[in-house]
Amino acid sequence: SYVLTQPPSVSVAPGHTARIFCGGHEIGNKSVHWYQQKPGQAPVLVLYDDSDRPSGIPERFSGSKSGNTATLTISRVEAGDEADFYCQLWNNNSDPHVVFGGGTKLTVL
Amino acid sequence: QLHLQESGPGLVKPSETLSLTCNVSRDSITSSSYYWGWIRQPPGKGLEWIGAISYPGTTYYNPSLKSRVTISVDTSKNHFSLRLNSVTAADTAVYYCARHLLTAYYLPSWFDPWGQGTLVTVSS
């Protein structure tokens, strides 16, 4: 089955840039979506279709893809950005289904 | 603004059936623009997709759960439901419902918004 691989954790100092990677086979051919989940809360969509931001998501959140990796970039990181981040896509193979990455814990130092 | 709310028993016995409902407010569940999905999260772990449904009844299920899962829509109550059979302790999780947006090819894509989630514990 299709697998999305994320690093378990990323640490960054306030004001710096955080990059969270999501790797998957031929991910360039698929649309990747990203969610932020703070403790005790439901996930919130922060990017869809690789790099589009929903209304209300700061411009500091951006997305890109290269090769077999999608990247969520958070510029000028703030303490309030600390959360778990998940990538997700729709795998349209012979048995279509949603795939989530394992999640990355972003720690703001 | 669309609001989703999960409801159902918080405790289910092993081997029994887990049943949850997601009430949809301020949008119609019969809209052809969306699917409606279920996702779960075991305590301290990541997200796992369970399945999705669109009106009038096209469904997609997680291949690893397909044999035990049924998702259905009740248009009279504007809600959709999840049934998971033969549960074990491994099914203990926070269960979320979410609206599942469509791509230009009418396939499920991203989830927005999500319900607040409900914890279901499987224990005797």
mmCIF file of all heavy atoms in Angstrom, chain A residues 33 35 37 41-43 45 48-49 86 88 90 92 95-98 100 102, chain B residues 39 41 45-47 49 60 63 66 96 100 107-112 114-115:
data_model
loop_
_atom_site.group_PDB
_atom_site.id
_atom_site.type_symbol
_atom_site.label_atom_id
_atom_site.label_comp_id
_atom_site.label_asym_id
_atom_site.label_seq_id
_atom_site.Cartn_x
_atom_site.Cartn_y
_atom_site.Cartn_z
ATOM 1 N N HIS A 33 -1.941 17.568 0.748
ATOM 2 C CA HIS A 33 -2.624 18.487 1.656
ATOM 3 C C HIS A 33 -1.969 18.373 3.026
ATOM 4 O O HIS A 33 -1.444 17.321 3.393
ATOM 5 C CB HIS A 33 -4.114 18.146 1.727
ATOM 6 C CG HIS A 33 -4.693 17.742 0.403
ATOM 7 N ND1 HIS A 33 -4.740 18.601 -0.676
ATOM 8 C CD2 HIS A 33 -5.207 16.554 -0.019
ATOM 9 C CE1 HIS A 33 -5.278 17.956 -1.717
ATOM 10 N NE2 HIS A 33 -5.555 16.721 -1.332
ATOM 11 N N TYR A 35 -2.134 19.400 7.362
ATOM 12 C CA TYR A 35 -2.967 19.731 8.512
ATOM 13 C C TYR A 35 -2.073 20.046 9.715
ATOM 14 O O TYR A 35 -1.019 19.432 9.892
ATOM 15 C CB TYR A 35 -3.894 18.566 8.878
ATOM 16 C CG TYR A 35 -4.777 18.137 7.734
ATOM 17 C CD1 TYR A 35 -4.333 17.192 6.821
ATOM 18 C CD2 TYR A 35 -6.022 18.714 7.528
ATOM 19 C CE1 TYR A 35 -5.116 16.812 5.743
ATOM 20 C CE2 TYR A 35 -6.812 18.338 6.453
ATOM 21 C CZ TYR A 35 -6.347 17.389 5.562
ATOM 22 O OH TYR A 35 -7.119 17.018 4.484
ATOM 23 N N GLN A 37 -2.298 20.112 13.896
ATOM 24 C CA GLN A 37 -3.090 19.645 15.017
ATOM 25 C C GLN A 37 -2.403 20.018 16.327
ATOM 26 O O GLN A 37 -1.321 19.527 16.638
ATOM 27 C CB GLN A 37 -3.311 18.133 14.962
ATOM 28 C CG GLN A 37 -4.244 17.635 16.059
ATOM 29 C CD GLN A 37 -4.465 16.134 16.037
ATOM 30 O OE1 GLN A 37 -3.571 15.363 15.676
ATOM 31 N NE2 GLN A 37 -5.659 15.695 16.412
ATOM 32 N N GLN A 41 -6.963 19.160 20.191
ATOM 33 C CA GLN A 41 -7.822 19.778 19.180
ATOM 34 C C GLN A 41 -7.891 18.917 17.920
ATOM 35 O O GLN A 41 -7.035 18.068 17.687
ATOM 36 C CB GLN A 41 -7.299 21.167 18.812
ATOM 37 C CG GLN A 41 -7.287 22.149 19.973
ATOM 38 C CD GLN A 41 -6.831 23.526 19.541
ATOM 39 O OE1 GLN A 41 -6.829 23.871 18.360
ATOM 40 N NE2 GLN A 41 -6.450 24.348 20.522
ATOM 41 N N ALA A 42 -8.911 19.178 17.133
ATOM 42 C CA ALA A 42 -9.016 18.514 15.833
ATOM 43 C C ALA A 42 -8.006 19.118 14.857
ATOM 44 O O ALA A 42 -7.598 20.276 15.001
ATOM 45 C CB ALA A 42 -10.427 18.681 15.283
ATOM 46 N N PRO A 43 -7.604 18.346 13.866
ATOM 47 C CA PRO A 43 -6.715 18.897 12.838
ATOM 48 C C PRO A 43 -7.379 20.057 12.094
ATOM 49 O O PRO A 43 -8.605 20.105 11.952
ATOM 50 C CB PRO A 43 -6.485 17.711 11.901
ATOM 51 C CG PRO A 43 -6.713 16.505 12.757
ATOM 52 C CD PRO A 43 -7.825 16.912 13.681
ATOM 53 N N LEU A 45 -6.893 22.254 8.413
ATOM 54 C CA LEU A 45 -6.247 22.330 7.108
ATOM 55 C C LEU A 45 -5.421 23.599 7.013
ATOM 56 O O LEU A 45 -5.930 24.696 7.249
ATOM 57 C CB LEU A 45 -7.320 22.333 6.014
ATOM 58 C CG LEU A 45 -6.850 22.407 4.571
ATOM 59 C CD1 LEU A 45 -6.244 21.077 4.129
ATOM 60 C CD2 LEU A 45 -8.022 22.788 3.658
ATOM 61 N N TYR A 48 -3.740 23.089 0.874
ATOM 62 C CA TYR A 48 -4.358 22.082 0.031
ATOM 63 C C TYR A 48 -3.786 22.186 -1.378
ATOM 64 O O TYR A 48 -3.244 23.226 -1.766
ATOM 65 C CB TYR A 48 -5.883 22.198 0.041
ATOM 66 C CG TYR A 48 -6.432 23.490 -0.534
ATOM 67 C CD1 TYR A 48 -6.835 23.563 -1.866
ATOM 68 C CD2 TYR A 48 -6.552 24.627 0.256
ATOM 69 C CE1 TYR A 48 -7.333 24.733 -2.393
ATOM 70 C CE2 TYR A 48 -7.045 25.809 -0.268
ATOM 71 C CZ TYR A 48 -7.438 25.861 -1.592
ATOM 72 O OH TYR A 48 -7.939 27.031 -2.110
ATOM 73 N N ASP A 49 -3.893 21.108 -2.119
ATOM 74 C CA ASP A 49 -3.355 21.085 -3.482
ATOM 75 C C ASP A 49 -1.908 21.593 -3.513
ATOM 76 O O ASP A 49 -1.563 22.476 -4.310
ATOM 77 C CB ASP A 49 -4.236 21.891 -4.440
ATOM 78 C CG ASP A 49 -5.502 21.146 -4.824
ATOM 79 O OD1 ASP A 49 -5.595 19.934 -4.518
ATOM 80 O OD2 ASP A 49 -6.390 21.762 -5.415
ATOM 81 N N TYR A 86 0.505 16.932 9.657
ATOM 82 C CA TYR A 86 0.277 15.716 8.872
ATOM 83 C C TYR A 86 0.105 16.070 7.393
ATOM 84 O O TYR A 86 -0.619 17.014 7.061
ATOM 85 C CB TYR A 86 -0.995 14.997 9.328
ATOM 86 C CG TYR A 86 -0.927 14.460 10.736
ATOM 87 C CD1 TYR A 86 -1.331 15.234 11.817
ATOM 88 C CD2 TYR A 86 -0.460 13.166 10.988
ATOM 89 C CE1 TYR A 86 -1.259 14.750 13.111
ATOM 90 C CE2 TYR A 86 -0.394 12.668 12.282
ATOM 91 C CZ TYR A 86 -0.798 13.467 13.327
ATOM 92 O OH TYR A 86 -0.732 12.976 14.610
ATOM 93 N N GLN A 88 -1.224 14.553 3.619
ATOM 94 C CA GLN A 88 -2.297 13.636 3.215
ATOM 95 C C GLN A 88 -2.500 13.723 1.714
ATOM 96 O O GLN A 88 -2.318 14.782 1.112
ATOM 97 C CB GLN A 88 -3.599 13.997 3.937
ATOM 98 C CG GLN A 88 -4.839 13.205 3.512
ATOM 99 C CD GLN A 88 -5.820 14.040 2.711
ATOM 100 O OE1 GLN A 88 -6.116 15.184 3.042
ATOM 101 N NE2 GLN A 88 -6.357 13.461 1.634
ATOM 102 N N TRP A 90 -4.781 11.634 -1.776
ATOM 103 C CA TRP A 90 -5.718 10.623 -2.277
ATOM 104 C C TRP A 90 -4.949 9.742 -3.254
ATOM 105 O O TRP A 90 -4.402 10.228 -4.238
ATOM 106 C CB TRP A 90 -6.897 11.285 -2.985
ATOM 107 C CG TRP A 90 -7.840 10.310 -3.619
ATOM 108 C CD1 TRP A 90 -7.940 9.988 -4.952
ATOM 109 C CD2 TRP A 90 -8.829 9.523 -2.957
ATOM 110 N NE1 TRP A 90 -8.920 9.060 -5.146
ATOM 111 C CE2 TRP A 90 -9.493 8.748 -3.942
ATOM 112 C CE3 TRP A 90 -9.227 9.389 -1.628
ATOM 113 C CZ2 TRP A 90 -10.530 7.860 -3.633
ATOM 114 C CZ3 TRP A 90 -10.253 8.508 -1.326
ATOM 115 C CH2 TRP A 90 -10.892 7.753 -2.313
ATOM 116 N N ASN A 92 -5.172 7.234 -5.973
ATOM 117 C CA ASN A 92 -6.197 6.780 -6.908
ATOM 118 C C ASN A 92 -5.710 5.561 -7.689
ATOM 119 O O ASN A 92 -5.568 5.604 -8.892
ATOM 120 C CB ASN A 92 -6.586 7.911 -7.857
ATOM 121 C CG ASN A 92 -7.876 7.627 -8.581
ATOM 122 O OD1 ASN A 92 -8.778 7.006 -8.022
ATOM 123 N ND2 ASN A 92 -7.987 8.091 -9.809
ATOM 124 N N ASP A 95 -7.483 0.356 -5.752
ATOM 125 C CA ASP A 95 -8.306 0.382 -4.549
ATOM 126 C C ASP A 95 -8.146 1.770 -3.919
ATOM 127 O O ASP A 95 -7.422 1.939 -2.944
ATOM 128 C CB ASP A 95 -7.850 -0.694 -3.578
ATOM 129 C CG ASP A 95 -8.893 -0.970 -2.489
ATOM 130 O OD1 ASP A 95 -9.937 -0.280 -2.484
ATOM 131 O OD2 ASP A 95 -8.652 -1.855 -1.651
ATOM 132 N N PRO A 96 -8.824 2.772 -4.476
ATOM 133 C CA PRO A 96 -8.563 4.166 -4.083
ATOM 134 C C PRO A 96 -8.786 4.414 -2.596
ATOM 135 O O PRO A 96 -9.749 3.897 -2.010
ATOM 136 C CB PRO A 96 -9.571 4.952 -4.928
ATOM 137 C CG PRO A 96 -9.918 4.065 -6.058
ATOM 138 C CD PRO A 96 -9.867 2.671 -5.509
ATOM 139 N N HIS A 97 -7.902 5.212 -2.024
ATOM 140 C CA HIS A 97 -8.059 5.519 -0.604
ATOM 141 C C HIS A 97 -7.218 6.719 -0.209
ATOM 142 O O HIS A 97 -6.300 7.118 -0.927
ATOM 143 C CB HIS A 97 -7.663 4.309 0.256
ATOM 144 C CG HIS A 97 -6.260 3.841 0.044
ATOM 145 N ND1 HIS A 97 -5.876 3.055 -1.015
ATOM 146 C CD2 HIS A 97 -5.133 4.042 0.772
ATOM 147 C CE1 HIS A 97 -4.595 2.798 -0.938
ATOM 148 N NE2 HIS A 97 -4.105 3.384 0.134
ATOM 149 N N VAL A 98 -7.553 7.283 0.960
ATOM 150 C CA VAL A 98 -6.796 8.378 1.559
ATOM 151 C C VAL A 98 -5.584 7.814 2.281
ATOM 152 O O VAL A 98 -5.661 6.750 2.911
ATOM 153 C CB VAL A 98 -7.682 9.155 2.548
ATOM 154 C CG1 VAL A 98 -6.857 10.088 3.431
ATOM 155 C CG2 VAL A 98 -8.756 9.958 1.814
ATOM 156 N N PHE A 100 -2.526 9.170 5.009
ATOM 157 C CA PHE A 100 -1.929 10.188 5.864
ATOM 158 C C PHE A 100 -0.474 9.822 6.134
ATOM 159 O O PHE A 100 -0.128 8.633 6.283
ATOM 160 C CB PHE A 100 -2.645 10.262 7.221
ATOM 161 C CG PHE A 100 -3.960 10.979 7.207
ATOM 162 C CD1 PHE A 100 -5.157 10.270 7.206
ATOM 163 C CD2 PHE A 100 -4.011 12.364 7.217
ATOM 164 C CE1 PHE A 100 -6.374 10.923 7.201
ATOM 165 C CE2 PHE A 100 -5.222 13.036 7.213
ATOM 166 C CZ PHE A 100 -6.412 12.310 7.200
ATOM 167 N N GLY A 102 2.738 9.907 8.801
ATOM 168 C CA GLY A 102 2.756 9.545 10.210
ATOM 169 C C GLY A 102 2.764 10.729 11.170
ATOM 170 O O GLY A 102 2.572 10.546 12.377
ATOM 171 N N ILE B 39 -12.340 9.737 10.125
ATOM 172 C CA ILE B 39 -10.920 9.566 10.404
ATOM 173 C C ILE B 39 -10.792 9.282 11.903
ATOM 174 O O ILE B 39 -11.564 9.790 12.704
ATOM 175 C CB ILE B 39 -10.120 10.868 10.086
ATOM 176 C CG1 ILE B 39 -10.375 11.338 8.658
ATOM 177 C CG2 ILE B 39 -8.637 10.665 10.347
ATOM 178 C CD1 ILE B 39 -11.386 12.461 8.547
ATOM 179 N N GLN B 41 -7.989 8.516 15.410
ATOM 180 C CA GLN B 41 -6.648 8.761 15.940
ATOM 181 C C GLN B 41 -6.510 8.052 17.282
ATOM 182 O O GLN B 41 -7.038 8.526 18.291
ATOM 183 C CB GLN B 41 -6.406 10.261 16.103
ATOM 184 C CG GLN B 41 -5.004 10.623 16.534
ATOM 185 C CD GLN B 41 -4.771 12.121 16.478
ATOM 186 O OE1 GLN B 41 -5.666 12.933 16.756
ATOM 187 N NE2 GLN B 41 -3.562 12.513 16.111
ATOM 188 N N LYS B 45 -1.186 8.651 18.907
ATOM 189 C CA LYS B 45 -0.725 8.199 17.590
ATOM 190 C C LYS B 45 -1.240 9.119 16.477
ATOM 191 O O LYS B 45 -1.860 10.145 16.740
ATOM 192 C CB LYS B 45 -1.167 6.758 17.351
ATOM 193 C CG LYS B 45 -0.540 5.765 18.332
ATOM 194 C CD LYS B 45 -0.857 4.332 17.956
ATOM 195 C CE LYS B 45 -0.167 3.373 18.920
ATOM 196 N NZ LYS B 45 -0.449 1.958 18.565
ATOM 197 N N GLY B 46 -0.967 8.728 15.241
ATOM 198 C CA GLY B 46 -1.311 9.550 14.094
ATOM 199 C C GLY B 46 -2.721 9.303 13.587
ATOM 200 O O GLY B 46 -3.501 8.539 14.160
ATOM 201 N N LEU B 47 -3.024 9.976 12.486
ATOM 202 C CA LEU B 47 -4.355 9.923 11.890
ATOM 203 C C LEU B 47 -4.487 8.709 10.977
ATOM 204 O O LEU B 47 -3.561 8.360 10.242
ATOM 205 C CB LEU B 47 -4.614 11.192 11.076
ATOM 206 C CG LEU B 47 -4.537 12.507 11.848
ATOM 207 C CD1 LEU B 47 -4.581 13.690 10.879
ATOM 208 C CD2 LEU B 47 -5.661 12.613 12.863
ATOM 209 N N TRP B 49 -7.323 7.186 8.162
ATOM 210 C CA TRP B 49 -8.574 7.355 7.442
ATOM 211 C C TRP B 49 -9.387 6.082 7.512
ATOM 212 O O TRP B 49 -8.843 4.978 7.354
ATOM 213 C CB TRP B 49 -8.262 7.709 5.990
ATOM 214 C CG TRP B 49 -9.436 7.863 5.094
ATOM 215 C CD1 TRP B 49 -10.364 8.865 5.112
ATOM 216 C CD2 TRP B 49 -9.801 7.011 4.014
ATOM 217 N NE1 TRP B 49 -11.287 8.678 4.105
ATOM 218 C CE2 TRP B 49 -10.967 7.549 3.406
ATOM 219 C CE3 TRP B 49 -9.268 5.841 3.465
ATOM 220 C CZ2 TRP B 49 -11.591 6.974 2.312
ATOM 221 C CZ3 TRP B 49 -9.875 5.251 2.373
ATOM 222 C CH2 TRP B 49 -11.033 5.824 1.814
ATOM 223 N N TYR B 60 -15.995 4.878 -0.331
ATOM 224 C CA TYR B 60 -14.617 4.414 -0.386
ATOM 225 C C TYR B 60 -14.232 4.043 1.045
ATOM 226 O O TYR B 60 -14.565 4.761 1.989
ATOM 227 C CB TYR B 60 -13.673 5.510 -0.888
ATOM 228 C CG TYR B 60 -13.854 5.905 -2.328
ATOM 229 C CD1 TYR B 60 -14.547 7.061 -2.666
ATOM 230 C CD2 TYR B 60 -13.313 5.140 -3.352
ATOM 231 C CE1 TYR B 60 -14.692 7.444 -3.987
ATOM 232 C CE2 TYR B 60 -13.452 5.520 -4.680
ATOM 233 C CZ TYR B 60 -14.147 6.676 -4.991
ATOM 234 O OH TYR B 60 -14.287 7.049 -6.310
ATOM 235 N N PRO B 63 -8.626 0.102 2.864
ATOM 236 C CA PRO B 63 -8.528 -1.338 2.566
ATOM 237 C C PRO B 63 -8.306 -2.199 3.816
ATOM 238 O O PRO B 63 -8.783 -3.334 3.864
ATOM 239 C CB PRO B 63 -7.319 -1.407 1.621
ATOM 240 C CG PRO B 63 -7.285 -0.061 0.961
ATOM 241 C CD PRO B 63 -7.729 0.907 2.017
ATOM 242 N N LYS B 66 -11.907 -2.335 5.530
ATOM 243 C CA LYS B 66 -13.082 -2.479 4.657
ATOM 244 C C LYS B 66 -14.012 -3.595 5.083
ATOM 245 O O LYS B 66 -15.237 -3.450 5.003
ATOM 246 C CB LYS B 66 -12.601 -2.713 3.218
ATOM 247 C CG LYS B 66 -13.717 -2.817 2.199
ATOM 248 C CD LYS B 66 -13.184 -3.115 0.807
ATOM 249 C CE LYS B 66 -12.387 -1.975 0.241
ATOM 250 N NZ LYS B 66 -12.062 -2.185 -1.200
ATOM 251 N N TYR B 96 -13.088 11.223 14.306
ATOM 252 C CA TYR B 96 -13.459 12.511 13.724
ATOM 253 C C TYR B 96 -14.314 12.292 12.475
ATOM 254 O O TYR B 96 -14.050 11.375 11.697
ATOM 255 C CB TYR B 96 -12.217 13.294 13.287
ATOM 256 C CG TYR B 96 -11.274 13.711 14.381
ATOM 257 C CD1 TYR B 96 -10.109 12.993 14.644
ATOM 258 C CD2 TYR B 96 -11.509 14.866 15.135
ATOM 259 C CE1 TYR B 96 -9.216 13.386 15.622
ATOM 260 C CE2 TYR B 96 -10.621 15.262 16.122
ATOM 261 C CZ TYR B 96 -9.484 14.516 16.353
ATOM 262 O OH TYR B 96 -8.594 14.917 17.331
ATOM 263 N N HIS B 100 -15.269 16.285 3.022
ATOM 264 C CA HIS B 100 -14.217 15.825 2.133
ATOM 265 C C HIS B 100 -14.432 16.522 0.795
ATOM 266 O O HIS B 100 -15.372 16.219 0.071
ATOM 267 C CB HIS B 100 -14.336 14.313 1.987
ATOM 268 C CG HIS B 100 -13.072 13.612 1.673
ATOM 269 N ND1 HIS B 100 -12.867 12.271 1.975
ATOM 270 C CD2 HIS B 100 -11.943 14.023 1.077
ATOM 271 C CE1 HIS B 100 -11.666 11.920 1.585
ATOM 272 N NE2 HIS B 100 -11.089 12.951 1.034
ATOM 273 N N LEU B 107 -13.090 13.379 -7.401
ATOM 274 C CA LEU B 107 -12.527 12.424 -6.464
ATOM 275 C C LEU B 107 -12.281 13.113 -5.130
ATOM 276 O O LEU B 107 -12.013 14.313 -5.086
ATOM 277 C CB LEU B 107 -11.214 11.858 -7.001
ATOM 278 C CG LEU B 107 -11.325 10.992 -8.250
ATOM 279 C CD1 LEU B 107 -9.947 10.636 -8.758
ATOM 280 C CD2 LEU B 107 -12.149 9.742 -7.956
ATOM 281 N N PRO B 108 -12.363 12.374 -4.016
ATOM 282 C CA PRO B 108 -12.114 12.987 -2.706
ATOM 283 C C PRO B 108 -10.709 13.571 -2.628
ATOM 284 O O PRO B 108 -9.755 12.981 -3.130
ATOM 285 C CB PRO B 108 -12.291 11.824 -1.737
ATOM 286 C CG PRO B 108 -13.116 10.825 -2.457
ATOM 287 C CD PRO B 108 -12.719 10.946 -3.891
ATOM 288 N N SER B 109 -10.572 14.704 -1.993
ATOM 289 C CA SER B 109 -9.251 15.320 -1.868
ATOM 290 C C SER B 109 -8.950 15.642 -0.406
ATOM 291 O O SER B 109 -8.615 14.757 0.350
ATOM 292 C CB SER B 109 -9.157 16.550 -2.747
ATOM 293 O OG SER B 109 -10.191 17.459 -2.430
ATOM 294 N N TRP B 110 -9.107 16.914 0.008
ATOM 295 C CA TRP B 110 -8.743 17.290 1.363
ATOM 296 C C TRP B 110 -9.959 17.364 2.276
ATOM 297 O O TRP B 110 -11.093 17.358 1.823
ATOM 298 C CB TRP B 110 -8.001 18.623 1.357
ATOM 299 C CG TRP B 110 -8.815 19.780 0.885
ATOM 300 C CD1 TRP B 110 -9.619 20.598 1.636
ATOM 301 C CD2 TRP B 110 -8.899 20.286 -0.457
ATOM 302 N NE1 TRP B 110 -10.196 21.557 0.848
ATOM 303 C CE2 TRP B 110 -9.771 21.408 -0.436
ATOM 304 C CE3 TRP B 110 -8.322 19.906 -1.675
ATOM 305 C CZ2 TRP B 110 -10.074 22.125 -1.584
ATOM 306 C CZ3 TRP B 110 -8.620 20.625 -2.813
ATOM 307 C CH2 TRP B 110 -9.490 21.715 -2.756
ATOM 308 N N PHE B 111 -9.691 17.438 3.597
ATOM 309 C CA PHE B 111 -10.735 17.490 4.608
ATOM 310 C C PHE B 111 -10.824 18.896 5.205
ATOM 311 O O PHE B 111 -9.838 19.435 5.706
ATOM 312 C CB PHE B 111 -10.435 16.518 5.754
ATOM 313 C CG PHE B 111 -10.397 15.081 5.338
ATOM 314 C CD1 PHE B 111 -9.189 14.460 5.082
ATOM 315 C CD2 PHE B 111 -11.560 14.350 5.222
ATOM 316 C CE1 PHE B 111 -9.141 13.131 4.696
ATOM 317 C CE2 PHE B 111 -11.525 13.014 4.841
ATOM 318 C CZ PHE B 111 -10.319 12.406 4.577
ATOM 319 N N ASP B 112 -12.015 19.472 5.170
ATOM 320 C CA ASP B 112 -12.214 20.776 5.793
ATOM 321 C C ASP B 112 -13.689 21.119 5.816
ATOM 322 O O ASP B 112 -14.334 21.104 4.752
ATOM 323 C CB ASP B 112 -11.468 21.855 4.999
ATOM 324 C CG ASP B 112 -11.559 23.228 5.629
ATOM 325 O OD1 ASP B 112 -11.265 23.343 6.837
ATOM 326 O OD2 ASP B 112 -11.943 24.172 4.921
ATOM 327 N N TRP B 114 -13.290 19.849 10.159
ATOM 328 C CA TRP B 114 -13.383 18.634 10.949
ATOM 329 C C TRP B 114 -14.326 18.862 12.128
ATOM 330 O O TRP B 114 -14.450 19.991 12.607
ATOM 331 C CB TRP B 114 -12.013 18.252 11.504
ATOM 332 C CG TRP B 114 -10.972 17.923 10.485
ATOM 333 C CD1 TRP B 114 -10.549 18.700 9.448
ATOM 334 C CD2 TRP B 114 -10.173 16.746 10.434
ATOM 335 N NE1 TRP B 114 -9.554 18.078 8.742
ATOM 336 C CE2 TRP B 114 -9.296 16.873 9.330
ATOM 337 C CE3 TRP B 114 -10.102 15.587 11.216
ATOM 338 C CZ2 TRP B 114 -8.365 15.874 8.976
ATOM 339 C CZ3 TRP B 114 -9.188 14.599 10.873
ATOM 340 C CH2 TRP B 114 -8.335 14.752 9.767
ATOM 341 N N GLY B 115 -14.955 17.788 12.595
ATOM 342 C CA GLY B 115 -15.655 17.854 13.861
ATOM 343 C C GLY B 115 -14.648 17.890 14.997
ATOM 344 O O GLY B 115 -13.445 17.718 14.782
#
